[in-house]
Amino acid sequence: MKNKKKIICIVQARLNSTRLKNKVIYKFKNKTMIEILLERLTSSKLINDTIVAIPKSDKKLENILKDKYKVYLRNNENVLERYYLAAKQFK
């Protein structure tokens, strides 16, 4: 019997973009852009788990996502560290 690998999808999102602030929470057909993306990812049969890695300072984004998705909060500046530590925490 083969061991199945656990596949997790880590999505990085933040509100503090220099070109277009709050773009991930812009609404399109009554849903935010991040919700549309996450709904599509969670419907995949290949992905076992979806985590959103966001900066600690993005409380507004955390409040939008925390009831429906796994949210990983970490360092505001280091995106690579957020990915790495989220992957480590969720194995």
Coordinates of all heavy atoms in Angstrom, one line a residue:
M1 N 0.8 -1.2 0.0 CA 0.0 0.0 0.0 C 0.9 1.2 0.0 O 1.8 1.4 0.8 CB -0.9 0.0 1.2 CG -1.9 1.1 1.3 SD -3.0 0.8 2.7 CE -3.8 2.3 2.8
K2 N 0.6 2.2 -0.9 CA 1.4 3.4 -1.0 C 0.9 4.4 0.0 O -0.2 4.6 0.3 CB 1.3 4.0 -2.4 CG 2.2 3.5 -3.4 CD 2.1 4.4 -4.6 CE 3.2 4.0 -5.6 NZ 3.0 4.8 -6.8
N3 N 1.9 5.2 0.6 CA 1.6 6.3 1.5 C 1.2 7.5 0.6 O 2.0 7.8 -0.3 CB 2.7 6.6 2.4 CG 2.9 5.7 3.5 OD1 2.0 4.9 3.8 ND2 4.1 5.7 4.1
K4 N 0.1 8.1 0.9 CA -0.3 9.3 0.1 C 0.4 10.5 0.8 O 0.4 10.6 2.0 CB -1.8 9.5 0.2 CG -2.5 8.7 -0.8 CD -4.0 9.0 -0.8 CE -4.5 9.3 -2.1 NZ -5.9 9.7 -2.1
K5 N 0.9 11.3 -0.1 CA 1.5 12.6 0.5 C 0.4 13.6 0.7 O -0.6 13.7 0.0 CB 2.5 13.1 -0.6 CG 3.8 12.4 -0.7 CD 4.7 13.0 -1.6 CE 6.0 12.2 -1.7 NZ 7.0 12.9 -2.4
K6 N 0.6 14.3 1.8 CA -0.3 15.4 2.1 C 0.1 16.6 1.3 O 1.2 17.1 1.4 CB -0.3 15.7 3.6 CG -1.2 16.8 4.1 CD -1.1 17.0 5.6 CE -2.0 18.2 6.0 NZ -1.9 18.5 7.4
I7 N -0.8 17.2 0.6 CA -0.5 18.4 -0.2 C -1.3 19.5 0.4 O -2.5 19.5 0.5 CB -0.9 18.1 -1.7 CG1 -0.1 17.0 -2.3 CG2 -0.7 19.4 -2.5 CD1 -0.6 16.6 -3.7
I8 N -0.5 20.5 0.8 CA -1.2 21.7 1.3 C -0.8 22.9 0.4 O 0.2 22.9 -0.3 CB -0.7 22.1 2.7 CG1 0.7 22.4 2.8 CG2 -1.1 21.0 3.7 CD1 1.1 23.0 4.2
C9 N -1.8 23.8 0.3 CA -1.6 25.0 -0.5 C -1.5 26.2 0.4 O -2.4 26.4 1.2 CB -2.8 25.1 -1.5 SG -2.7 26.6 -2.5
I10 N -0.4 26.9 0.3 CA -0.3 28.1 1.2 C -0.4 29.3 0.2 O 0.4 29.5 -0.7 CB 1.1 28.1 1.9 CG1 1.3 26.9 2.7 CG2 1.3 29.4 2.7 CD1 2.6 26.7 3.3
V11 N -1.3 30.2 0.6 CA -1.6 31.4 -0.2 C -1.1 32.6 0.7 O -1.5 32.7 1.8 CB -3.1 31.5 -0.5 CG1 -3.4 32.9 -1.2 CG2 -3.6 30.4 -1.3
Q12 N -0.3 33.4 0.1 CA 0.2 34.6 0.8 C -0.7 35.7 0.4 O -1.0 35.9 -0.8 CB 1.6 34.9 0.4 CG 2.3 35.9 1.2 CD 1.9 37.4 0.9 OE1 1.7 38.2 1.7 NE2 1.8 37.7 -0.4
A13 N -1.2 36.5 1.4 CA -2.1 37.6 1.1 C -1.7 38.8 2.0 O -1.4 38.5 3.2 CB -3.5 37.2 1.2
R14 N -1.9 40.0 1.6 CA -1.7 41.2 2.5 C -2.5 42.3 1.9 O -2.9 42.4 0.8 CB -0.2 41.5 2.6 CG 0.4 42.0 1.3 CD 1.9 42.2 1.4 NE 2.4 42.5 0.1 CZ 2.9 43.7 -0.2 NH1 2.8 44.7 0.6 NH2 3.4 43.9 -1.4
L15 N -2.8 43.2 2.8 CA -3.6 44.4 2.4 C -2.7 45.6 2.0 O -3.1 46.5 1.3 CB -4.5 44.8 3.6 CG -5.6 43.8 4.0 CD1 -6.3 44.3 5.2 CD2 -6.5 43.5 2.8
N16 N -1.5 45.6 2.5 CA -0.6 46.8 2.3 C 0.2 46.7 1.0 O 1.4 46.7 1.1 CB 0.3 46.9 3.5 CG 1.0 48.2 3.6 OD1 0.6 49.2 2.9 ND2 2.0 48.3 4.3
S17 N -0.5 46.7 -0.1 CA 0.2 46.7 -1.4 C 0.6 48.1 -1.8 O -0.2 49.1 -1.5 CB -0.7 46.1 -2.5 OG -0.1 46.3 -3.7
T18 N 1.7 48.3 -2.4 CA 2.1 49.7 -2.7 C 1.4 50.2 -4.0 O 1.1 51.4 -4.1 CB 3.6 49.8 -3.0 OG1 4.0 48.8 -3.9 CG2 4.4 49.6 -1.7
R19 N 1.0 49.3 -4.9 CA 0.4 49.7 -6.1 C -1.1 49.8 -6.0 O -1.8 50.6 -6.6 CB 0.8 48.7 -7.3 CG 2.2 48.9 -7.7 CD 2.5 47.9 -8.8 NE 2.7 46.6 -8.1 CZ 2.9 45.5 -8.7 NH1 3.0 45.5 -10.0 NH2 3.0 44.4 -8.1
L20 N -1.7 48.8 -5.3 CA -3.2 48.8 -5.1 C -3.6 48.3 -3.8 O -3.7 47.0 -3.6 CB -3.8 47.9 -6.2 CG -5.3 47.9 -6.3 CD1 -5.9 49.3 -6.5 CD2 -5.8 47.0 -7.5
K21 N -3.7 49.1 -2.8 CA -4.0 48.7 -1.4 C -5.4 48.0 -1.4 O -6.3 48.3 -2.1 CB -4.0 50.0 -0.5 CG -2.7 50.7 -0.4 CD -2.5 51.3 0.9 CE -1.2 52.0 1.1 NZ 0.0 51.2 1.0
N22 N -5.4 47.0 -0.5 CA -6.6 46.3 -0.2 C -7.2 45.5 -1.4 O -8.3 45.1 -1.4 CB -7.7 47.2 0.4 CG -7.3 47.8 1.7 OD1 -6.7 47.2 2.5 ND2 -7.6 49.1 1.8
K23 N -6.3 45.2 -2.4 CA -6.8 44.5 -3.6 C -7.4 43.1 -3.3 O -8.4 42.7 -4.0 CB -5.8 44.4 -4.6 CG -4.6 43.6 -4.3 CD -3.6 43.6 -5.4 CE -2.2 43.1 -4.9 NZ -1.2 43.4 -5.8
V24 N -6.9 42.4 -2.3 CA -7.4 41.1 -2.0 C -8.8 41.1 -1.4 O -9.5 40.1 -1.5 CB -6.5 40.3 -1.1 CG1 -5.2 40.0 -1.8 CG2 -6.3 40.9 0.2
I25 N -9.3 42.3 -0.9 CA -10.6 42.3 -0.4 C -11.6 43.2 -1.2 O -12.7 43.4 -0.8 CB -10.6 42.8 1.1 CG1 -10.0 44.2 1.2 CG2 -10.0 41.8 2.0 CD1 -10.2 44.8 2.6
Y26 N -11.1 43.5 -2.4 CA -12.1 44.1 -3.4 C -13.2 43.1 -3.7 O -12.9 41.9 -3.8 CB -11.4 44.5 -4.7 CG -10.6 45.8 -4.6 CD1 -9.9 46.3 -5.6 CD2 -10.6 46.6 -3.4 CE1 -9.2 47.5 -5.6 CE2 -9.9 47.8 -3.3 CZ -9.2 48.2 -4.4 OH -8.5 49.4 -4.3
K27 N -14.4 43.6 -3.8 CA -15.5 42.7 -4.1 C -15.8 42.5 -5.6 O -15.7 43.5 -6.3 CB -16.8 43.2 -3.4 CG -16.6 43.2 -1.9 CD -17.7 42.4 -1.3 CE -17.5 42.4 0.2 NZ -18.5 41.7 0.9
F28 N -16.1 41.3 -5.9 CA -16.5 41.0 -7.3 C -17.7 40.0 -7.1 O -17.5 38.9 -6.6 CB -15.4 40.3 -8.1 CG -15.7 40.0 -9.5 CD1 -15.9 40.9 -10.5 CD2 -16.0 38.6 -9.8 CE1 -16.2 40.6 -11.8 CE2 -16.3 38.3 -11.1 CZ -16.4 39.3 -12.1
K29 N -18.9 40.4 -7.6 CA -20.1 39.6 -7.4 C -20.3 39.2 -6.0 O -20.5 38.0 -5.7 CB -20.0 38.4 -8.4 CG -20.1 38.8 -9.8 CD -20.2 37.6 -10.7 CE -20.3 38.0 -12.1 NZ -20.6 36.9 -13.1
N30 N -20.2 40.1 -5.1 CA -20.5 39.9 -3.6 C -19.5 39.1 -2.9 O -19.8 38.6 -1.8 CB -21.9 39.4 -3.4 CG -23.0 40.4 -3.9 OD1 -22.8 41.6 -3.7 ND2 -24.0 39.9 -4.4
K31 N -18.4 38.8 -3.4 CA -17.3 38.0 -2.8 C -16.0 38.8 -2.9 O -15.8 39.4 -4.0 CB -17.2 36.6 -3.3 CG -18.3 35.7 -3.0 CD -18.1 34.3 -3.5 CE -19.3 33.5 -3.2 NZ -19.1 32.1 -3.7
T32 N -15.1 38.7 -1.9 CA -13.8 39.3 -2.1 C -13.0 38.4 -3.0 O -13.2 37.2 -3.2 CB -13.1 39.4 -0.7 OG1 -12.9 38.1 -0.2 CG2 -13.9 40.3 0.3
M33 N -12.0 39.1 -3.6 CA -11.1 38.4 -4.5 C -10.4 37.2 -3.8 O -10.3 36.1 -4.4 CB -10.0 39.3 -5.1 CG -10.6 40.5 -5.9 SD -11.7 40.0 -7.2 CE -10.5 39.7 -8.5
I34 N -10.0 37.4 -2.6 CA -9.3 36.3 -1.9 C -10.3 35.1 -1.6 O -9.9 33.9 -1.7 CB -8.7 36.8 -0.5 CG1 -7.8 35.7 0.1 CG2 -9.7 37.2 0.5 CD1 -6.5 35.5 -0.6
E35 N -11.6 35.4 -1.3 CA -12.6 34.3 -1.1 C -12.8 33.6 -2.4 O -12.9 32.3 -2.4 CB -13.9 34.9 -0.6 CG -13.8 35.4 0.8 CD -15.0 36.2 1.2 OE1 -15.6 37.0 0.5 OE2 -15.5 36.0 2.4
I36 N -12.8 34.2 -3.5 CA -13.0 33.5 -4.8 C -11.8 32.6 -5.0 O -12.0 31.4 -5.4 CB -13.2 34.6 -6.0 CG1 -14.5 35.4 -5.8 CG2 -13.1 33.9 -7.3 CD1 -14.6 36.6 -6.7
L37 N -10.6 33.1 -4.8 CA -9.4 32.2 -5.0 C -9.5 31.0 -4.1 O -9.3 29.9 -4.5 CB -8.2 33.1 -4.8 CG -6.9 32.3 -4.7 CD1 -6.5 31.8 -6.1 CD2 -5.8 33.2 -4.1
L38 N -9.8 31.3 -2.8 CA -9.7 30.2 -1.8 C -10.8 29.2 -2.1 O -10.6 28.0 -1.9 CB -9.8 30.8 -0.4 CG -8.6 31.6 0.0 CD1 -8.9 32.3 1.3 CD2 -7.4 30.7 0.1
E39 N -12.0 29.6 -2.5 CA -13.1 28.7 -2.8 C -12.6 27.7 -4.0 O -12.9 26.5 -3.9 CB -14.3 29.4 -3.2 CG -15.1 30.0 -2.0 CD -16.3 30.8 -2.4 OE1 -16.6 30.9 -3.6 OE2 -16.9 31.4 -1.5
R40 N -12.0 28.3 -5.0 CA -11.5 27.5 -6.1 C -10.4 26.5 -5.7 O -10.4 25.3 -6.1 CB -11.0 28.4 -7.2 CG -12.2 29.1 -7.9 CD -11.7 30.0 -9.0 NE -12.8 30.7 -9.6 CZ -12.8 31.3 -10.7 NH1 -11.7 31.3 -11.4 NH2 -13.9 31.9 -11.2
L41 N -9.5 27.0 -4.8 CA -8.5 26.1 -4.4 C -9.0 24.9 -3.5 O -8.6 23.8 -3.6 CB -7.4 26.9 -3.6 CG -6.5 27.8 -4.4 CD1 -5.7 28.7 -3.5 CD2 -5.6 27.0 -5.4
T42 N -9.9 25.3 -2.6 CA -10.4 24.2 -1.7 C -11.3 23.2 -2.4 O -11.6 22.1 -1.9 CB -11.2 24.8 -0.5 OG1 -12.3 25.7 -1.0 CG2 -10.3 25.6 0.4
S43 N -11.8 23.5 -3.6 CA -12.6 22.6 -4.4 C -11.7 21.6 -5.1 O -12.2 20.6 -5.7 CB -13.5 23.3 -5.4 OG -12.8 23.9 -6.4
S44 N -10.4 21.8 -5.1 CA -9.5 20.9 -5.8 C -9.4 19.5 -5.1 O -9.4 19.5 -3.9 CB -8.1 21.5 -5.8 OG -7.2 20.5 -6.3
K45 N -9.5 18.5 -5.9 CA -9.4 17.1 -5.3 C -7.9 16.7 -5.0 O -7.7 15.8 -4.3 CB -10.0 16.1 -6.3 CG -11.5 16.3 -6.4 CD -12.0 15.3 -7.4 CE -13.5 15.4 -7.6 NZ -14.2 16.6 -7.6
L46 N -7.0 17.5 -5.5 CA -5.5 17.2 -5.3 C -5.0 17.9 -4.0 O -4.0 17.4 -3.5 CB -4.7 17.7 -6.5 CG -5.1 17.1 -7.8 CD1 -4.3 17.7 -8.9 CD2 -4.9 15.6 -7.8
I47 N -5.6 18.9 -3.5 CA -5.1 19.7 -2.4 C -5.9 19.2 -1.1 O -7.1 19.2 -1.1 CB -5.3 21.2 -2.6 CG1 -4.5 21.7 -3.8 CG2 -4.9 21.9 -1.3 CD1 -4.8 23.1 -4.2
N48 N -5.1 18.8 -0.1 CA -5.7 18.3 1.2 C -6.0 19.4 2.1 O -6.9 19.3 2.9 CB -4.7 17.4 1.9 CG -4.4 16.2 1.0 OD1 -3.3 16.1 0.5 ND2 -5.3 15.2 0.9
D49 N -5.3 20.5 2.0 CA -5.5 21.6 3.0 C -5.1 22.9 2.4 O -4.1 23.0 1.6 CB -4.7 21.4 4.3 CG -5.4 21.9 5.5 OD1 -6.4 22.6 5.4 OD2 -4.9 21.6 6.6
T50 N -5.8 24.0 2.7 CA -5.4 25.3 2.2 C -5.2 26.3 3.4 O -6.1 26.3 4.3 CB -6.5 25.9 1.3 OG1 -6.7 25.0 0.2 CG2 -6.1 27.2 0.7
I51 N -4.1 27.0 3.4 CA -3.7 27.9 4.5 C -3.5 29.2 3.9 O -2.8 29.3 2.8 CB -2.5 27.4 5.3 CG1 -2.8 26.1 6.0 CG2 -2.0 28.4 6.3 CD1 -2.2 24.9 5.3
V52 N -3.9 30.3 4.6 CA -3.6 31.7 4.1 C -2.6 32.2 5.1 O -2.9 32.3 6.3 CB -4.9 32.5 4.1 CG1 -4.6 33.9 3.5 CG2 -6.0 31.9 3.4
A53 N -1.4 32.6 4.6 CA -0.4 33.2 5.4 C -0.4 34.7 5.2 O -0.3 35.2 4.2 CB 1.0 32.7 5.0
I54 N -0.7 35.4 6.4 CA -0.9 36.8 6.3 C -0.1 37.5 7.4 O 0.3 36.9 8.4 CB -2.4 37.3 6.4 CG1 -3.0 36.9 7.8 CG2 -3.2 36.7 5.3 CD1 -4.4 37.5 8.0
P55 N 0.3 38.8 7.2 CA 1.0 39.5 8.2 C 0.1 39.7 9.5 O -1.1 39.8 9.4 CB 1.3 40.9 7.6 CG 1.1 40.7 6.1 CD 0.1 39.6 6.0
K56 N 0.8 39.7 10.6 CA 0.1 39.9 11.9 C -0.8 41.2 11.9 O -1.8 41.3 12.5 CB 1.0 40.0 13.1 CG 1.6 38.7 13.4 CD 2.6 38.8 14.6 CE 3.2 37.5 15.0 NZ 4.1 37.7 16.1
S57 N -0.3 42.2 11.2 CA -0.9 43.5 11.2 C -2.2 43.6 10.4 O -3.0 44.5 10.5 CB 0.1 44.6 10.7 OG 0.4 44.3 9.4
D58 N -2.5 42.6 9.6 CA -3.7 42.6 8.7 C -4.9 42.0 9.4 O -5.5 41.0 9.0 CB -3.4 41.9 7.4 CG -2.6 42.7 6.4 OD1 -2.4 43.9 6.7 OD2 -2.2 42.1 5.4
K59 N -5.3 42.7 10.5 CA -6.5 42.2 11.3 C -7.8 42.2 10.5 O -8.6 41.3 10.7 CB -6.6 43.1 12.6 CG -5.5 43.0 13.5 CD -5.3 41.6 14.1 CE -4.2 41.5 15.0 NZ -3.9 40.1 15.4
K60 N -8.0 43.1 9.6 CA -9.2 43.2 8.8 C -9.3 41.9 7.9 O -10.3 41.3 7.8 CB -9.2 44.5 8.0 CG -10.4 44.7 7.2 CD -10.4 46.0 6.4 CE -11.6 46.3 5.7 NZ -11.6 47.6 5.0
L61 N -8.2 41.6 7.3 CA -8.1 40.4 6.5 C -8.3 39.1 7.3 O -9.1 38.2 6.9 CB -6.8 40.3 5.7 CG -6.6 39.2 4.7 CD1 -7.8 39.2 3.7 CD2 -5.3 39.3 4.0
E62 N -7.7 39.1 8.5 CA -7.9 37.9 9.4 C -9.3 37.8 9.8 O -9.8 36.6 9.7 CB -7.0 38.1 10.6 CG -7.2 37.0 11.6 CD -6.5 37.3 13.0 OE1 -6.0 38.4 13.2 OE2 -6.5 36.4 13.8
N63 N -10.0 38.8 10.1 CA -11.4 38.8 10.5 C -12.3 38.3 9.3 O -13.3 37.6 9.6 CB -11.9 40.1 11.0 CG -11.3 40.5 12.3 OD1 -10.9 39.6 13.1 ND2 -11.2 41.8 12.6
I64 N -12.0 38.6 8.1 CA -12.8 38.1 7.0 C -12.6 36.6 6.8 O -13.5 35.9 6.4 CB -12.3 38.9 5.7 CG1 -12.8 40.4 5.8 CG2 -12.9 38.2 4.4 CD1 -12.2 41.2 4.7
L65 N -11.4 36.1 7.0 CA -11.1 34.7 6.7 C -11.1 33.7 7.8 O -11.4 32.5 7.6 CB -9.6 34.7 6.1 CG -9.4 35.5 4.8 CD1 -7.9 35.5 4.5 CD2 -10.3 35.0 3.7
K66 N -11.0 34.2 9.0 CA -10.7 33.2 10.1 C -11.8 32.2 10.4 O -11.6 31.1 10.9 CB -10.4 34.0 11.4 CG -11.5 34.8 12.0 CD -11.1 35.5 13.3 CE -12.3 36.3 13.8 NZ -11.9 37.1 15.0
D67 N -13.1 32.5 10.1 CA -14.2 31.6 10.4 C -14.3 30.5 9.4 O -14.9 29.5 9.6 CB -15.5 32.4 10.5 CG -15.5 33.3 11.7 OD1 -14.8 33.0 12.7 OD2 -16.3 34.3 11.7
K68 N -13.8 30.7 8.2 CA -13.9 29.8 7.1 C -12.6 29.1 6.6 O -12.7 28.0 6.1 CB -14.6 30.5 5.9 CG -15.2 29.6 4.9 CD -16.1 30.3 4.0 CE -16.7 29.4 3.0 NZ -17.4 30.0 1.9
Y69 N -11.5 29.7 6.9 CA -10.2 29.2 6.4 C -9.2 29.2 7.5 O -9.3 29.9 8.5 CB -9.7 30.1 5.2 CG -10.7 30.1 4.1 CD1 -11.5 31.2 3.9 CD2 -10.8 29.0 3.2 CE1 -12.4 31.2 2.8 CE2 -11.7 29.1 2.1 CZ -12.5 30.2 2.0 OH -13.4 30.2 0.9
K70 N -8.2 28.4 7.3 CA -7.0 28.3 8.2 C -6.1 29.6 7.9 O -5.7 29.7 6.8 CB -6.2 27.1 8.1 CG -7.0 25.9 8.6 CD -6.2 24.6 8.5 CE -7.0 23.4 8.9 NZ -6.2 22.2 8.7
V71 N -5.9 30.3 8.9 CA -5.1 31.6 8.8 C -3.8 31.4 9.6 O -3.9 31.1 10.8 CB -5.9 32.8 9.2 CG1 -5.0 34.1 9.1 CG2 -7.1 32.9 8.3
Y72 N -2.7 31.7 9.0 CA -1.4 31.7 9.7 C -0.9 33.1 9.7 O -0.7 33.7 8.7 CB -0.4 30.8 9.0 CG 0.9 30.7 9.7 CD1 1.0 29.9 10.8 CD2 2.0 31.4 9.2 CE1 2.3 29.9 11.5 CE2 3.2 31.4 9.9 CZ 3.3 30.6 11.0 OH 4.5 30.5 11.7
L73 N -0.7 33.6 10.9 CA -0.2 35.0 11.1 C 1.3 35.0 11.5 O 1.7 34.2 12.3 CB -1.0 35.7 12.3 CG -2.5 35.8 12.1 CD1 -3.1 36.2 13.4 CD2 -2.8 36.8 11.0
R74 N 2.0 35.9 10.9 CA 3.5 35.9 11.1 C 4.0 37.3 10.8 O 3.3 38.2 10.5 CB 4.2 34.8 10.3 CG 5.5 34.5 10.8 CD 5.5 34.0 12.2 NE 6.9 33.8 12.7 CZ 7.3 33.3 13.8 NH1 6.4 32.9 14.6 NH2 8.5 33.2 14.1
N75 N 5.3 37.3 10.7 CA 6.1 38.5 10.4 C 5.6 39.3 9.3 O 5.2 38.8 8.3 CB 7.6 38.0 10.1 CG 8.5 39.2 10.0 OD1 8.3 40.1 9.2 ND2 9.6 39.1 10.6
N76 N 5.6 40.7 9.4 CA 5.0 41.5 8.4 C 5.9 41.7 7.2 O 5.4 41.9 6.1 CB 4.8 42.9 9.0 CG 3.7 42.9 10.0 OD1 2.9 42.1 10.0 ND2 3.7 43.9 10.9
E77 N 7.2 41.6 7.3 CA 8.1 41.8 6.2 C 8.6 40.6 5.4 O 8.9 40.7 4.3 CB 9.3 42.6 6.7 CG 8.9 44.0 7.2 CD 8.2 44.9 6.2 OE1 8.7 45.0 5.1 OE2 7.3 45.6 6.6
N78 N 8.8 39.5 6.1 CA 9.5 38.3 5.5 C 8.5 37.3 5.0 O 8.0 36.4 5.7 CB 10.4 37.7 6.6 CG 11.3 36.7 6.0 OD1 11.1 36.2 5.0 ND2 12.5 36.6 6.7
V79 N 8.2 37.4 3.7 CA 7.2 36.5 3.1 C 7.7 35.1 3.1 O 6.9 34.1 3.4 CB 6.9 37.0 1.7 CG1 5.9 36.0 1.0 CG2 6.3 38.3 1.7
L80 N 9.0 34.9 2.8 CA 9.5 33.5 2.7 C 9.4 32.8 4.1 O 9.1 31.7 4.2 CB 11.0 33.5 2.3 CG 11.7 32.2 2.2 CD1 10.9 31.3 1.2 CD2 13.1 32.4 1.7
E81 N 9.7 33.6 5.2 CA 9.6 33.1 6.5 C 8.1 32.6 6.8 O 7.9 31.6 7.4 CB 10.0 34.1 7.5 CG 9.9 33.6 9.0 CD 10.3 34.6 10.0 OE1 9.6 35.7 10.0 OE2 11.2 34.4 10.8
R82 N 7.2 33.4 6.4 CA 5.7 33.1 6.6 C 5.4 31.8 5.9 O 4.8 30.9 6.5 CB 4.8 34.2 6.0 CG 4.5 35.3 7.0 CD 3.3 36.1 6.7 NE 3.2 36.6 5.4 CZ 3.6 37.8 5.0 NH1 4.2 38.6 5.9 NH2 3.5 38.3 3.8
Y83 N 5.8 31.6 4.6 CA 5.6 30.4 3.9 C 6.2 29.2 4.7 O 5.6 28.2 4.9 CB 6.2 30.4 2.5 CG 5.3 31.0 1.5 CD1 5.5 32.3 1.0 CD2 4.2 30.2 0.9 CE1 4.6 32.8 0.0 CE2 3.4 30.7 0.0 CZ 3.6 32.0 -0.5 OH 2.8 32.5 -1.5
Y84 N 7.5 29.3 5.0 CA 8.3 28.2 5.6 C 7.6 27.8 7.0 O 7.4 26.6 7.2 CB 9.7 28.6 5.8 CG 10.5 27.6 6.6 CD1 10.9 26.4 6.0 CD2 10.9 27.9 7.9 CE1 11.6 25.5 6.8 CE2 11.6 27.0 8.7 CZ 11.9 25.8 8.1 OH 12.6 24.8 8.8
L85 N 7.3 28.8 7.8 CA 6.8 28.5 9.1 C 5.4 28.0 9.1 O 5.0 27.1 9.9 CB 6.9 29.7 10.1 CG 8.4 30.1 10.4 CD1 8.4 31.4 11.2 CD2 9.1 29.0 11.1
A86 N 4.6 28.4 8.1 CA 3.2 27.9 7.9 C 3.3 26.4 7.5 O 2.6 25.6 8.0 CB 2.5 28.7 6.9
A87 N 4.2 26.1 6.5 CA 4.4 24.7 6.1 C 4.8 23.9 7.2 O 4.4 22.7 7.4 CB 5.4 24.7 4.9
K88 N 5.7 24.4 8.0 CA 6.3 23.6 9.2 C 5.1 23.3 10.2 O 5.0 22.2 10.7 CB 7.4 24.4 9.8 CG 8.3 23.6 10.7 CD 9.5 24.4 11.1 CE 10.3 23.7 12.1 NZ 11.4 24.4 12.6
Q89 N 4.4 24.4 10.5 CA 3.3 24.2 11.5 C 2.2 23.2 11.0 O 1.7 22.4 11.8 CB 2.6 25.6 11.8 CG 1.5 25.4 12.8 CD 0.9 26.7 13.2 OE1 1.6 27.7 13.3 NE2 -0.4 26.7 13.5
F90 N 1.9 23.3 9.7 CA 0.8 22.4 9.2 C 1.3 21.1 8.6 O 0.6 20.4 8.0 CB -0.1 23.2 8.2 CG -0.9 24.3 8.9 CD1 -0.4 25.6 8.9 CD2 -2.1 24.0 9.5 CE1 -1.2 26.6 9.5 CE2 -2.9 24.9 10.1 CZ -2.4 26.3 10.1
K91 N 2.6 20.9 8.8 CA 3.3 19.6 8.4 C 3.0 19.3 6.9 O 2.6 18.3 6.5 CB 2.9 18.5 9.3 CG 3.4 18.7 10.7 CD 3.0 17.6 11.6 CE 3.4 17.7 13.0 NZ 3.4 18.9 13.7

